[in-house]
Amino acid sequence: MTETTGSDDPIYNRLLAALPAGEYRRLLPDLEQTPLTYGESLYDPGDAIAYVYFPNSGIVSLLAAAQDEAMLEVGIVGREGMIGIAAFLGVKTSSSRAVVQGHGFALRMKTAAFLAECRKSEMLSRLLKRFTQSLFAQISQSAVCYRFHPAEDRLARWLMMTFDRMDTNEIYLTQEFLSNMLGVRREAVNKSAVILQQQELISYSRGNITITNREGLETKACRCYAVIKTEEKSFPVK
């Protein structure tokens, strides 16, 4: 079920929060609050992009399909951005799967109304271009990470990125999700999690992950985490 957001509702999405008040109020009639439910697919490859989503909380993973139908995570988006950026770039269908990885809420908007607003608002278009660059940097750095860094370091990076967006030290993740994230088999997921647990950085049991040493986990994460975080912190500027 969705409900229309009110002008007094808190805005946690950084793109919407960076808009001038008048432009945000103009969006309100077209924005609906909708839950992000763990495991829910917002788009699958080939789906028409009927809505765009601005997360206020929660996380959405962007997954690319391989030839054997296996999936690999290529990016994650939380309240710093939006889901459906391809529509802004003129693409009508999704090339990836967008699946909710951490539950929360988003403000969604019909794509036609969103594109009409992009044509009116220079500020919205500028913010979306900046977010596109940030997401591209994340995807590019993740490709480097998959190629050169050990699985446990990649797991540390990914957990830091996830917990940054969730504002919590606890999260539930299935082995399938972690396998898609790391690009390795489930056995390697367990091995990587055990290594981090032995180093007293996390607690891992039956899919429940708790950070027990955030500073240590950040140190364990590969340099890619710092690169991605620096890029994300540089936008938006009001």
Side-chain angles (χ1 to χ4, degrees):
M1 179 182 295
T2 62
E3 58 184 34
T4 302
T5 185
S7 59
D8 295 328
D9 292 343
I11 311 169
Y12 298 110
N13 182 274
R14 287 171 57 191
L15 293 175
L16 294 180
L19 288 172
E23 293 193 17
Y24 176 68
R25 284 195 295 269
R26 194 167 66 212
L27 292 178
L28 281 175
D30 294 310
L31 289 172
E32 295 178 314
Q33 182 170 278
T34 186
L36 297 175
T37 305
Y38 178 79
E40 173 191 9
S41 289
L42 303 182
Y43 316 120
D44 283 313
D47 284 354
I49 303 175
Y51 290 89
V52 298
Y53 298 79
F54 297 89
N56 253 351
S57 58
I59 304 177
V60 178
S61 286
L62 305 178
L63 304 171
Q67 285 185 334
D68 58 0
E69 297 186 357
M71 305 295 288
L72 177 67
E73 184 184 80
V74 295
I76 59 176
V77 178
R79 64 182 179 223
E80 81 287 351
M82 63 164 286
I83 307 299
I85 194 65
F88 173 68
L89 301 175
V91 179
K92 295 182 178 181
T93 59
S94 177
S95 62
S96 61
R97 185 184 184 204
V99 60
V100 178
Q101 168 190 298
H103 70 271
F105 287 89
L107 297 174
R108 77 173 187 176
M109 189 175 187
K110 290 183 178 179
T111 300
F114 164 72
L115 293 176
E117 185 60 32
C118 289
R119 289 190 288 269
K120 295 177 186 176
S121 172
E122 181 181 347
M123 173 61 80
L124 178 59
S125 294
R126 186 159 66 243
L127 290 169
L128 292 171
K129 289 175 183 177
R130 187 65 188 85
F131 168 66
T132 301
Q133 164 58 28
S134 177
L135 183 60
F136 177 76
Q138 181 194 149
I139 293 170
S140 300
Q141 198 66 40
S142 295
V144 172
C145 196
Y146 288 130
R147 174 63 179 83
F148 292 108
H149 298 147
E152 62 269 20
D153 291 5
R154 301 204 306 267
L155 177 57
R157 169 189 65 84
W158 187 86
L159 288 174
M160 288 298 302
M161 291 175 61
T162 297
F163 286 112
D164 283 349
R165 288 161 173 77
M166 292 294 289
D167 279 340
T168 179
N169 283 337
E170 299 181 11
I171 195 169
Y172 174 79
L173 295 167
T174 65
Q175 286 190 347
E176 181 181 5
F177 254 131
L178 290 172
S179 178
N180 289 335
M181 180 278 300
L182 290 174
V184 297
R185 295 184 182 276
R186 296 185 184 185
E187 295 81 0
V189 169
N190 278 330
K191 182 179 178 180
S192 299
V194 166
I195 289 173
L196 297 184
Q197 185 162 252
Q198 289 173 341
Q199 295 175 350
E200 300 183 342
L201 303 177
I202 67 169
S203 172
Y204 176 64
S205 176
R206 299 180 182 274
N208 293 297
I209 300 178
T210 302
I211 292 182
T212 55
N213 183 345
R214 191 178 185 90
E215 183 177 344
L217 189 65
E218 183 171 354
T219 299
K220 176 66 175 174
C222 58
R223 179 178 175 273
C224 298
Y225 170 68
V227 172
I228 293 170
K229 186 173 183 179
T230 298
E231 174 67 28
E232 290 173 351
K233 288 175 67 175
S234 67
F235 88 97
V237 178
K238 285 187 102 171

